[in-house]
Amino acid sequence: MNDNQEPVLVCKDLCISYYTRAGEIPAVVDFAVEVLPGETIGIVGESGCGKSTVAMAVMQYMGANGGIKSGSITFKGRDLNQMSEDELRRIRGSEIAMIYQEPFASLNPSLKISTQLMEVPLAHENISKEEARQRAEQMLADVKLPDPKRLMESYPHQLSGGQQQRVVIAMGLLSNPSLLLLDEPTTALDVTVEAGIVKLVADISKKFGTSQIYISHNLGLILETCDRVFVMYSGEVVEEGTIDSLFTWPRHPYTHGLFACIPLPTADKHAAPLKPIRGQLPLPFERPQGCYYHPRCDHFKPGLCDQDHIAMEHVVDSAPDHRVRCLRYKEIDHSKEVPGGEARAAAELGEQVLEVDHMKKYYEVRDSSLRALISGKRIRYVKANEELNFTAREGETVAIVGESGCGKSTFAKVLMGLEKGTDGSVVHDGNDLSEIAVRDRSPEQIGSLQMVFQNPFDTLNPSHSIGGQISRVIKKFGVETDKKKIFDRVMKLLDTVKLPRDFYFRKPRQLSGGQKQRIGIARAFAGNPSMVIADEPVSALDVSVAAAVTELLMDIQREHKTTLLFISHDLSVVRYLSDRIVVMYLGHILERGTTEQIFAPPYSPYTEALLSAVPIADPEVTKREIVLEGNLPSAMNPPKGCPFCTRCHRRIGEICDNEPPPEQVVVDRHVIKCHIPLEELKKVAPVIRVPDESERIRAQQ
């Protein structure tokens, strides 16, 4: 990147509006950015702040009711607003490409991968089909996909989510674009896949000198990938600067609010809980006078912050391009503020309520192929869970972590009675539930185990009111039978999840994603459960909403002494929230122990790789890089020896390939399943290194 070069993209005084029957909705106000060749720009902010609208405006995909009201978008010296549809069609895909959040929605399910990839160079360049095929295969190899020739003949549904995303990235890079727009490209992916894809895009962009605009609400990801960052709030940029200046010395209260929502390695859920930003993002037609953020700001000053619209200004004593939209940033001393929310007492752990003993879950698959008929092996098994052993106590939070396909949700299904276990036992409150289907369980057994699902949009009935859906749970499990008492209990639950009582009469479509997730939590706790299984409950939410939902779960757990089984692949949230962690891979538990034990050596090699993949939004925290190669093996045909041996960066020889690893007890309940001797594992350096206070002071001086 060279500052003397001409910018690839220049957005100047950009105002974007949508026009509806209700009138004009100003989505983006006064947006300005310059992107240099080879530079990566990050845009962060909550959902609805206008990040994706900016990307759509650059692509000129504004739809029938959207338009650029004023300002300009110049690409390589040419105003995109003035181009004809034919000119834009020639530029899209060849010079400006976009990678979307949901890969399956970007691929045509009825066309082979080869057809969709070859279409890009064939549409934009004068080359033959054979050349297009060769280039597509080479790009699939560049994005580290195994067996490109086979994948070219596959359909999208035959690929995993990570493979689909890599195909979409290959499609975006096929014509060597000058500008690549990435809109939350890794939100739905495992941290290990995310780490590989982020490194992959960075390497390929460096190879071709591609400029990037990276849109995300994951500040850790932005820190690892970008040169400069723009923080957006309610349609306008409130702070911008280089990664070093903005992450080290953020000046806008909103930027500080975002950082307070992130569970950094230094966070303590009891001493300094996460501090969610209060209130809601204002709708575009309800923006307040003056600073848009002032209704949610702890530093609001009447008569100053609520007057005229505030312009961006350069930050004194900072990097030359560090700018902020705040009138009080010089007066506010953020260093004197206590990090996090109010301290809370740790919950007291009670008796053991769950014991999983050698639990197995196999799925039978019948093979009617000619090969199976000849060999006589017509029945095969998918080993989803293999010899699971762990316990949980009253009031304890146990996290189950691992990549997609490792068996986390399968175990949850057995526990909930949606599946029956194949072998072993799952004892909850003295009852072995592994072989009792949900339809055969008593109301008390069903009510004692409840679930908070990942996607709140799919788990609420759109035809029923919120009050009706929560009331049904209370009545079904016999908590209350009197209508007045049921109504009062629903109102108390709405108070507990910090939602207005008039939500009782609303339908799910009238709620935001974060509000729906709170209703899901209220419904889960309505039946007085002794255990709640939370399956990725915050992965689809903004950092501010995720922080509020996380704190809410912990508050309710403290009050009711509920055991929380937290299923996730996000180890930053897991570190903050959990007391104990179970690390799963391909149906096996490779490590289990307390949170402190899991995050410090000795590690299982797989735990080590998971820790390395976690994006951390703190420039002072250093991390060793371990990028896993290859994909999770098939559960129908797992490795003969250690399940992790095909991807292990510490593989020690044939013993890993041929013999199942032994369980090695480190201390007490900290167990690692690995062939490498404990003495060797103890010599491994920490993956994540947090500087102590003296190091921080020296760095600031």
Side-chain angles (χ1 to χ4, degrees):
M1 189 178 70
N2 188 344
D3 291 347
N4 297 323
Q5 291 177 296
E6 286 295 316
V8 171
L9 181 78
V10 178
C11 296
K12 191 174 181 182
D13 304 326
L14 192 61
C15 294
I16 306 167
S17 293
Y18 289 97
Y19 302 92
T20 67
R21 284 178 294 179
E24 180 187 340
I25 298 174
V28 173
V29 183
D30 188 27
F31 182 83
V33 66
E34 285 190 4
V35 186
L36 297 172
E39 186 178 31
T40 300
I41 300 290
I43 304 179
V44 300
E46 295 170 280
S47 294
C49 72
K51 307 186 299 291
S52 296
T53 301
V54 169
M56 290 302 183
V58 173
M59 294 294 290
Q60 298 287 303
Y61 282 151
M62 294 306 298
N65 68 332
I68 294 166
K69 185 179 179 183
S70 61
S72 62
I73 305 175
T74 307
F75 176 71
K76 291 187 175 180
R78 300 175 65 196
D79 191 342
L80 292 175
N81 300 345
Q82 305 301 319
M83 287 187 185
S84 68
E85 196 58 40
D86 283 342
E87 288 176 307
L88 288 171
R89 199 175 289 116
R90 283 195 292 270
I91 284 179
R92 293 189 193 119
S94 60
E95 295 197 59
I96 304 176
M98 189 163 179
I99 296 169
Y100 298 91
Q101 180 172 353
E102 180 49 64
F104 201 75
S106 306
L107 297 170
N108 189 324
S110 63
L111 297 178
K112 289 182 178 180
I113 298 300
S114 57
T115 306
Q116 300 185 60
L117 286 177
M118 289 164 61
E119 184 181 34
V120 177
L122 287 173
H124 296 290
E125 301 170 43
N126 185 23
I127 63 171
S128 67
K129 283 189 176 182
E130 189 54 41
E131 287 177 291
R133 175 175 285 276
Q134 287 176 1
R135 195 191 297 180
E137 284 184 9
Q138 182 56 48
M139 189 55 75
L140 287 179
D142 285 346
V143 298
K144 304 289 194 299
L145 278 169
D147 199 358
K149 288 186 186 299
R150 181 184 62 82
L151 284 177
M152 287 281 281
E153 299 308 310
S154 302
Y155 288 92
H157 71 271
Q158 295 173 303
L159 277 60
S160 69
Q163 288 174 329
Q164 288 173 16
Q165 191 64 291
R166 289 174 189 237
V167 168
V168 172
I169 290 169
M171 193 181 295
L173 294 167
L174 255 176
S175 283
N176 301 343
S178 302
L179 179 64
L180 186 63
L181 307 174
L182 302 102
D183 189 1
E184 300 274 15
T186 59
T187 299
L189 302 179
D190 290 320
V191 284
T192 49
V193 178
E194 177 183 80
I197 284 178
V198 166
K199 186 175 186 299
L200 170 77
V201 174
D203 290 347
I204 292 178
S205 297
K206 188 176 180 181
K207 178 180 175 182
F208 296 119
T210 310
S211 302
Q212 298 177 71
I213 295 180
Y214 215 112
I215 295 168
S216 180
H217 63 250
N218 187 333
L219 284 163
L221 207 59
I222 292 294
L223 174 64
E224 292 184 2
T225 56
C226 298
D227 303 305
R228 286 190 294 139
V229 61
F230 290 67
V231 181
M232 288 189 73
Y233 182 80
S234 190
E236 65 181 9
V237 176
V238 295
E239 188 166 7
E240 64 178 83
T242 62
I243 287 293
D244 288 340
S245 64
L246 194 138
F247 274 74
T248 308
W249 301 109
R251 298 305 174 98
H252 199 282
Y254 177 60
T255 312
H256 277 274
L258 287 178
F259 281 116
C261 294
I262 300 170
L264 296 171
T266 50
D268 186 314
K269 68 177 180 179
H270 303 303
L274 299 181
K275 190 177 180 182
I277 302 172
R278 57 187 168 85
Q280 301 265 348
L281 191 81
L283 295 170
F285 49 84
E286 294 178 348
R287 288 171 180 147
Q289 185 74 15
C291 173
Y292 294 163
Y293 184 62
H294 84 247
R296 306 172 73 186
C297 183
D298 295 331
H299 305 284
F300 168 63
K301 189 173 183 180
L304 177 69
C305 302
D306 54 1
Q307 298 302 305
D308 300 324
H309 186 253
I310 298 164
M312 295 283 281
E313 63 174 282
H314 287 280
V315 175
V316 179
D317 301 326
S318 188
D321 59 354
H322 192 170
R323 302 198 304 159
V324 68
R325 198 185 296 271
C326 180
L327 297 174
R328 300 201 61 210
Y329 82 90
K330 294 176 188 173
E331 307 167 28
I332 303 168
D333 187 357
H334 293 285
S335 63
K336 291 184 179 179
E337 295 179 17
V338 178
E342 296 179 8
R344 293 164 190 166
E348 290 187 15
L349 302 185
E351 297 295 318
Q352 181 175 294
V353 294
L354 178 73
E355 182 180 5
V356 183
D357 185 23
H358 292 84
M359 199 282 280
K360 295 181 181 181
K361 175 58 186 174
Y362 294 174
Y363 292 98
E364 190 176 283
V365 178
R366 293 186 178 274
D367 189 347
S368 57
S369 67
L370 180 62
R371 183 178 176 182
L373 287 170
I374 294 170
S375 65
K377 296 179 180 178
R378 298 190 62 183
I379 298 176
R380 301 169 70 189
Y381 294 95
V382 175
K383 298 181 179 181
N385 289 150
E386 185 74 66
E387 296 277 348
L388 301 191
N389 295 284
F390 67 93
T391 58
R393 297 165 66 187
E394 183 186 56
E396 188 174 38
T397 301
V398 178
I400 304 179
V401 301
E403 295 170 281
S404 298
C406 73
K408 307 187 297 291
S409 296
T410 300
F411 168 71
K413 287 176 183 176
V414 173
L415 185 58
M416 294 295 293
L418 301 175
E419 301 276 3
K420 285 187 177 182
T422 304
D423 197 5
S425 62
V426 179
V427 179
H428 176 250
D429 285 344
N431 300 310
D432 184 0
L433 302 179
S434 62
E435 294 187 8
I436 308 175
V438 67
R439 67 179 67 86
D440 300 324
R441 295 184 182 183
S442 66
E444 292 76 21
Q445 287 175 328
I446 296 173
S448 67
L449 283 166
Q450 288 296 295
M451 196 158 183
V452 179
F453 296 91
Q454 178 174 0
N455 191 343
F457 299 88
D458 293 341
T459 53
L460 297 175
N461 190 321
S463 304
H464 294 185
S465 69
I466 297 304
Q469 297 189 56
I470 301 175
S471 299
R472 185 174 181 272
V473 176
I474 297 169
K475 188 177 179 181
K476 182 84 174 173
F477 296 139
V479 178
E480 296 287 356
T481 53
D482 182 74
K483 285 187 177 181
K484 178 69 170 63
K485 289 182 178 179
I486 291 174
F487 179 81
D488 290 342
R489 182 163 175 80
V490 174
M491 288 303 178
K492 285 180 182 176
L493 281 165
L494 288 173
D495 292 340
T496 302
V497 296
K498 298 179 175 61
L499 287 175
R501 289 192 165 198
D502 66 353
F503 274 38
Y504 181 98
F505 304 100
R506 292 195 184 186
K507 297 284 180 68
R509 65 174 181 273
Q510 297 172 288
L511 276 59
S512 69
Q515 290 168 339
K516 286 179 184 176
Q517 193 61 291
R518 287 171 184 241
I519 295 300
I521 291 170
R523 189 175 61 177
F525 281 90
N528 289 335
S530 63
M531 175 176 284
V532 169
I533 299 101
D535 190 358
E536 302 273 15
V538 298
S539 65
L541 304 177
D542 283 324
V543 286
S544 54
V545 180
V549 170
T550 300
E551 291 306 310
L552 177 65
L553 275 171
M554 291 172 60
D555 287 344
I556 299 174
Q557 183 189 32
R558 287 189 187 98
E559 183 181 344
H560 297 281
K561 293 187 177 179
T562 312
T563 304
L564 188 63
L565 207 61
F566 190 79
I567 297 172
S568 181
H569 65 252
D570 186 345
L571 274 166
S572 57
V573 176
V574 164
R575 177 174 191 158
Y576 173 76
L577 192 64
S578 62
D579 302 304
R580 299 183 63 247
I581 298 174
V582 175
V583 181
M584 286 187 68
Y585 184 83
L586 207 62
H588 293 256
I589 293 176
L590 295 190
E591 186 169 5
R592 64 179 189 269
T594 65
T595 304
E596 292 74 23
Q597 290 167 344
I598 296 293
F599 275 79
Y603 310 111
S604 153
Y606 180 57
T607 307
E608 187 183 6
L610 281 180
L611 293 175
S612 174
V614 179
I616 299 172
D618 187 343
E620 294 179 337
V621 174
T622 54
K623 198 173 59 170
R624 281 197 292 116
E625 185 181 281
I626 304 164
V627 177
L628 289 182
E629 298 294 336
N631 295 305
L632 198 75
S634 168
M636 195 181 292
N637 187 26
K640 182 181 175 184
C642 173
F644 186 54
C645 69
T646 57
R647 302 168 74 195
C648 184
H649 56 287
R650 296 192 180 277
R651 183 178 167 277
I652 56 175
E654 290 186 5
I655 188 173
C656 297
D657 299 332
N658 299 319
E659 294 183 26
E663 287 192 345
Q664 303 183 73
V665 179
V666 185
V667 285
D668 191 22
R669 293 157 77 193
H670 184 196
V671 177
I672 296 174
K673 187 182 280 191
C674 187
H675 285 294
I676 302 171
L678 269 180
E679 293 307 313
E680 292 295 319
L681 292 175
K682 287 177 181 178
K683 294 175 185 176
V684 174
V687 175
I688 299 170
R689 187 177 179 280
V690 181
D692 58 30
E693 195 58 37
S694 61
E695 289 176 311
R696 287 182 183 271
I697 294 169
R698 282 199 300 273
Q700 290 172 4
Q701 292 172 344

